[in-house]
Amino acid sequence: MQTVKAFDITRGDLKWVIEYDASRCTMCGNCIAQCSQHAIEAAMSRQDMTVSETPQPMPKKRHLTRPVIRQRTDDLNHLCVGCGFCCKVCPNGAIRPVRNPDHRIPVIARENGPIKRGGRTNLNTQRTLDAIVVGRISQMTDPSLDSERHTFDMRAPLGRVLLSKELPLEVRDGKLVKTGKTPPVNWIYPLIFSDMSIGAISTRAWEAVAIATAYLNEECGLPVRMSSGEGGMPVRLMESDYLKYFILQIASGHFGWDRIIKTLPRMTTDPAGVLIKIGQGAKPGDGGLLPAAKVAPHIQSIRGVPKSTLHSPPNHQGLYSIEESVQKMHLSLNAAFGFRVPVAIKCAASATSVSVYNNLLRDPYKICGGFFIDGIQGGTGAANEISLDHTGHPVVSKLRECYLAAAGQGLQGQIPLWAGGGIGMTGNAAADAFKMICLGANGVFCAKLLTQIIGCVGNDNGRCNNCASGRCPNGICSQDPRLVARLDVDKAAQAIVDYVLAFDSELRKLMAPVGNSSLPVGRSDALVATNRDIADKLNIAYAC
């Protein structure tokens, strides 16, 4: 008799169970070939049957051995993640993954380390934005606008905006004359494609987002900007005129920055901005981790590193105070781009966000180009589940507090506020963006939404979400050439363009009823909350 041990992992203990009908299977092998996780394999199954081949009952035992598809349980690194690709390619519908409610995830985690998941959280799905609606509709007293025919000015600043009395302007001989330098400001679309590095996502996925960014600018007239993410950019792109559509990011790991500095003399144009990432909202304290399996040769070349696991610390190793961060921005502008490029910082939303913002507002150099606040409900990479679910802060209240703190000093708008973390989480990014702008943001940034647009099959209920392994079935978060080839760059770019054009149309449809021709930054009177606590916290009207 076979010995059974308490910690033995069987098929019934797994989070996803492969449901297989041998009678419909033709053993074509498509499912095994397409499984990026290597969670299934061909095997032989023994069957014992009792049959009778004569008119009178004469039972005989027959032993058969037939080929079948079997789910693997021998290697916990190759478990089914429920992506459903086996079901997609099966011509007869003989196989599909089924969620197992009786799984033993704690035991599996004990054997295989902490539970990791790419994507959003499971617990923090109660969204403040869903309890807010646009309540002020202009009618007879202040007529609303026509969203289809009216001209809207939808531009947001990236760069330090000076007060009118601080502008170096004088009137000489009846003419307005500039007497000094002003901080650089780029007026861009209020939507930024946020940080996703070449490495975290595949070259094809990054290229699709970059192509969409260029197309939106060149053909659609929408000045959307894209953050490079940590790790640098291809040299050919940095030497091209398209660099003006990109925000260069320098993060805690400093990966790829040397390559950017070496390319500076050959740059034909300046980037849209520089973003110093001090922290991110999805996994503060955890930092970024690019497994060695995803550090392909081209990643090694761009980042200037050997093939090894790359860790981006959760805190920026060169910044230990707000004052030092201002000095860092000053040095970056002066040494790298000669004060021609706005430099902003990105922090995780937290209880101290207002303190950080207040100190930046007192920046004596007037060079802080933006404050990016990132909330807990975002995240595109992979982190321990406990970090995604239990560490971080919702972004809405922190955004509101920062705006009200600046407004209380008469300094609102000087350092643009950009907010992200769950934008478009329920499918409509335009509604989320409009509400955030009314609460004080100059614009929003999003990244996870882009991966969903180009084919991510993961969801908040645990389907796939295997970004860390490098075995993304759609080739979005993988560097495996076989998997990356599945992603159609042109179709992915077109999908992003189509979504942003819909975003633009929907944003106009929300601006029109409140009677705004430009972005309604801080117009909290346009919003009402259907929850009393949210209304009191955000200082907006309550409606029932």
Side-chain angles (χ1 to χ4, degrees), residues 129 395-396 399 419-420 423 431-441 444:
L129 292 175
V395 70
V396 178
L399 163 69
I423 300 298
D432 292 349
F434 182 83
K435 295 170 188 178
M436 297 286 269
I437 290 170
C438 287
L439 291 172
V444 297

Side-chain angles (χ1 to χ4, degrees), residues 196-457:
M196 293 189 291
S197 67
I198 304 179
I201 59 176
S202 68
T203 307
R204 278 179 175 245
W206 199 92
E207 183 183 354
V209 181
I211 290 174
T213 302
Y215 188 90
L216 287 166
N217 280 272
E218 299 282 337
E219 300 296 331
C220 305
L222 296 182
V224 176
R225 297 296 181 261
M226 172 184 172
S227 175
S228 67
E230 182 175 25
M233 294 168 56
V235 170
R236 286 189 62 186
L237 179 55
M238 289 191 288
E239 293 178 352
S240 74
D241 290 337
Y242 294 108
L243 180 63
K244 60 188 175 186
Y245 304 139
F246 292 84
I247 299 171
L248 299 179
Q249 184 181 89
I250 175 172
S252 53
H254 294 271
F255 295 119
W257 191 247
D258 287 345
R259 188 170 179 145
I260 292 174
I261 296 298
K262 290 178 181 178
T263 313
L264 270 172
R266 300 191 300 276
M267 289 182 181
T268 58
T269 186
D270 290 329
V274 174
L275 181 61
I276 302 176
K277 189 194 79 175
I278 295 177
Q280 59 192 62
K283 49 189 178 196
D286 221 5
L289 187 69
L290 191 66
K294 297 178 72 172
V295 186
H298 64 281
I299 306 300
Q300 299 172 42
S301 175
I302 292 176
R303 298 195 176 197
V305 295
K307 186 175 181 62
S308 62
T309 297
L310 305 177
H311 183 224
S312 297
N315 61 315
H316 205 291
Q317 301 299 290
L319 305 179
Y320 297 98
S321 71
I322 300 170
E323 291 73 19
E324 281 186 339
S325 70
V326 174
Q327 288 288 345
K328 181 70 175 181
M329 286 182 281
H330 179 82
L331 292 173
S332 297
L333 284 166
N334 187 34
F337 295 102
F339 292 94
R340 299 188 308 272
V341 176
V343 178
I345 67 171
K346 177 181 178 181
C347 297
S350 72
T352 60
S353 295
V354 178
S355 300
V356 175
Y357 189 54
N358 276 332
N359 276 273
L360 292 174
L361 285 170
R362 300 187 185 101
D363 165 25
Y365 304 108
K366 305 294 182 184
I367 59 170
C368 179
F371 188 51
F372 286 58
I373 317 176
D374 195 15
I376 187 176
Q377 290 176 323
T380 61
N384 289 328
E385 190 161 302
I386 193 165
S387 298
L388 289 170
D389 287 344
H390 301 282
T391 310
H393 198 296
V395 70
V396 178
S397 62
K398 290 296 106 181
L399 163 69
R400 185 65 175 155
E401 289 175 11
C402 285
Y403 178 78
L404 292 178
Q409 305 170 63
L411 302 176
Q412 70 272 23
Q414 285 201 51
I415 297 181
L417 282 167
W418 291 78
I423 300 298
M425 188 173 178
T426 56
N428 199 316
D432 292 349
F434 182 83
K435 295 170 188 178
M436 297 286 269
I437 290 170
C438 287
L439 291 172
N442 292 92
V444 297
F445 54 90
C446 65
K448 173 67 175 178
L449 178 65
L450 301 178
T451 65
Q452 294 173 324
I453 292 171
I454 64 177
C456 174
V457 297

